[in-house]
Amino acid sequence: MPKSCFESVGEIIAEAIVYIDLNGERPHEKHTHDHNHLFIVTKGEAKILLDNEEIIVKKDDAFIVDGSIPHSVWNNLDSETVMIGISVK
């Protein structure tokens, strides 16, 4: 029987597949909010700026961003990066 990988993460409030163009970013500036993000990179490589820390998330890896910490997400390669973004409370 499959196990849920989201039980300890929280309630899912939104989800999206995000396509980040060459050297593109989303959003342009660091921001905060009252929910967290679970990012799963399916193609390419994402750079997450988390306050003053830089985290690289490679293909087939995942990272949870605490929404209360200033953050932004960038494409870290010269080719398209694709991520599944899940917002959780």
Side-chain angles (χ1 to χ4, degrees):
M1 172 177 250
K3 294 177 95 178
S4 172
C5 57
F6 299 111
E7 290 174 355
S8 63
V9 175
E11 175 190 352
I12 296 173
I13 58 172
E15 66 284 322
I17 297 175
V18 181
Y19 299 86
I20 308 174
D21 291 330
L22 311 178
N23 297 313
E25 81 275 352
R26 288 186 187 210
H28 295 284
E29 297 181 16
K30 289 183 191 172
H31 64 286
T32 62
H33 36 71
D34 64 350
H35 60 273
N36 300 330
H37 293 300
L38 170 61
F39 291 120
I40 304 165
V41 176
T42 62
K43 176 183 174 187
E45 188 174 285
K47 175 170 51 176
I48 298 174
L49 302 177
L50 190 60
D51 203 15
N52 293 319
E53 186 178 0
E54 184 177 293
I55 293 122
I56 303 300
V57 184
K58 296 182 178 190
K59 181 183 180 298
D60 298 329
D61 285 342
F63 188 79
I64 296 176
V65 173
D66 181 332
S68 67
I69 299 173
H71 61 278
S72 64
V73 180
W74 295 71
N75 183 346
N76 199 45
L77 299 177
D78 290 331
S79 57
E80 180 182 66
T81 290
V82 179
M83 298 189 309
I84 298 170
I86 302 170
S87 298
V88 294
K89 274 195 168 195

